[in-house]
Amino acid sequence: GAVVSQHPSRVICKSGTSVKIECRSLDFQATTMFWYRQFPKQSLMLMATSNEGSKATYEQGVEKDKFLINHASLTLSTLTVTSAHPEDSSFYICSARQGAYYGYTFGSGTRLTVV
Amino acid sequence: GESVGLHLPTLSVQEGDNSIINCAYSNSASDYFIWYKQESGKGPQFIIDIRSNMDKRQGQRVTVLLNKTVKHLSLQIAATQPGDSAVYFCAEIYTGTASKLTFGTGTRLQVTL
């Protein structure tokens, strides 16, 4: 079956630094990848949609200069949290779609803690 | 019984009983629905899906019911097992919004022995 690998699974960074999260589709080509953020005891909130080779589309209220998304190939998308602050601490999850409308596969998530 | 926590409602069931998890979705034009299971510290895992032109779909130990009239989905888990303990989310897709997944609030299922 389709597998999406997300790395790192946990990261702790200092306030003001940047951190990069990678999302890879291991056995399929993902024309579209999605990035979600999840706070404790809450649902997944879509941050942005990225299509290979084009700029990401951000949801309302998500700062595109703070959350940089790059989707340079059909198997890799990255999310960079720039100038991280403690309020950015959250669980970040990526999802990849296999071209069809409904074939979504999720990564295992990244727990970001900003201290 | 069912209780509402800080943000996530919780459903407690005894092992072996059937579980019913409910979800109200928001967009009457949504054309596809998915149930996901999320264990602590992990990403969502696909359970079962249903298209809007159906009202029931069965899988292994799971059944999804769709009532478009009241915009309601339910997930039924037969003979609930301890391994079913997790948070369950429904998600809806409307192809008019580039097929983005919109997640519901979620329900925590606790299976007691």
Side-chain angles (χ1 to χ4, degrees), chain A residues 38 41 43 59 101-102 104, chain B residues 7 38 51 98-100 104:
Chain A
Q38 185 178 31
K41 297 186 180 181
S43 188
E59 295 299 300
Y101 283 123
Y102 309 138
Y104 297 85
Chain B
H7 292 288
Q38 186 181 28
R51 295 182 185 270
S99 299
K100 293 186 291 188

Side-chain angles (χ1 to χ4, degrees), chain B residues 64-94:
Chain B
V64 55
L65 299 178
L66 173 62
N67 185 332
K68 293 186 290 293
T69 303
V70 294
K71 293 192 291 185
H72 184 267
L73 267 172
S74 69
L75 176 69
Q76 300 177 4
I77 304 174
T80 312
Q81 302 168 359
D84 295 328
S85 293
V87 177
Y88 291 80
F89 293 98
C90 69
E92 60 185 299
I93 297 173
Y94 170 48

Side-chain angles (χ1 to χ4, degrees), chain A:
Chain A
V3 178
V4 171
S5 172
Q6 189 171 339
H7 180 79
S9 58
R10 287 179 182 272
V11 58
I12 301 173
C13 71
K14 291 186 177 180
S15 191
T17 62
S18 296
V19 63
K20 181 185 285 188
I21 302 168
E22 290 189 350
C23 180
R24 294 181 184 272
S25 56
L26 297 186
D27 49 3
F28 66 97
Q29 294 185 327
T31 52
T32 306
M33 287 188 174
F34 304 86
W35 287 95
Y36 295 83
R37 180 167 52 183
Q38 185 178 31
F39 292 108
K41 297 186 180 181
Q42 293 190 27
S43 188
L44 284 75
M45 298 301 297
L46 181 65
M47 299 174 67
T49 302
S50 77
N51 290 293
E52 185 263 340
S54 61
K55 289 184 179 180
T57 302
Y58 290 81
E59 295 299 300
Q60 195 171 10
V62 178
E63 301 172 59
K64 60 182 179 182
D65 294 331
K66 180 167 187 61
F67 298 100
L68 301 180
I69 291 172
N70 184 284
H71 192 164
S73 78
L74 284 171
T75 58
L76 174 64
S77 176
T78 60
L79 168 67
T80 302
V81 182
T82 63
S83 188
H85 291 285
E87 56 265 31
D88 298 324
S89 297
S90 188
F91 193 54
Y92 292 87
I93 307 170
C94 71
S95 172
R97 191 169 71 195
Q98 298 179 252
Y101 283 123
Y102 309 138
Y104 297 85
T105 304
F106 285 83
S108 53
T110 298
R111 173 75 59 197
L112 170 63
T113 304
V114 185
V115 297

Side-chain angles (χ1 to χ4, degrees), chain B:
Chain B
E2 186 170 332
S3 63
V4 178
L6 184 61
H7 292 288
L8 219 54
T10 300
L11 176 66
S12 294
V13 298
Q14 278 203 313
E15 182 181 5
D17 288 351
N18 296 334
S19 303
I20 300 176
I21 300 170
N22 296 302
C23 174
Y25 63 91
S26 58
N27 187 351
S28 57
S30 289
D31 39 23
Y32 184 63
F33 305 88
I34 309 173
W35 277 100
Y36 288 97
K37 173 186 181 182
Q38 186 181 28
E39 296 174 313
S40 182
K42 297 184 180 179
Q45 177 186 356
F46 173 91
I47 301 174
I48 192 168
D49 57 4
I50 189 168
R51 295 182 185 270
S52 60
N53 61 355
M54 303 169 68
D55 52 22
K56 181 179 179 179
R57 189 161 187 231
Q58 287 184 288
Q60 190 177 18
R61 273 202 315 122
V62 295
T63 301
V64 55
L65 299 178
L66 173 62
N67 185 332
K68 293 186 290 293
T69 303
V70 294
K71 293 192 291 185
H72 184 267
L73 267 172
S74 69
L75 176 69
Q76 300 177 4
I77 304 174
T80 312
Q81 302 168 359
D84 295 328
S85 293
V87 177
Y88 291 80
F89 293 98
C90 69
E92 60 185 299
I93 297 173
Y94 170 48
T95 52
T97 58
S99 299
K100 293 186 291 188
L101 275 173
T102 301
F103 282 84
T105 308
T107 297
R108 179 175 300 281
L109 177 65
Q110 288 182 336
V111 182
T112 57
L113 301 177

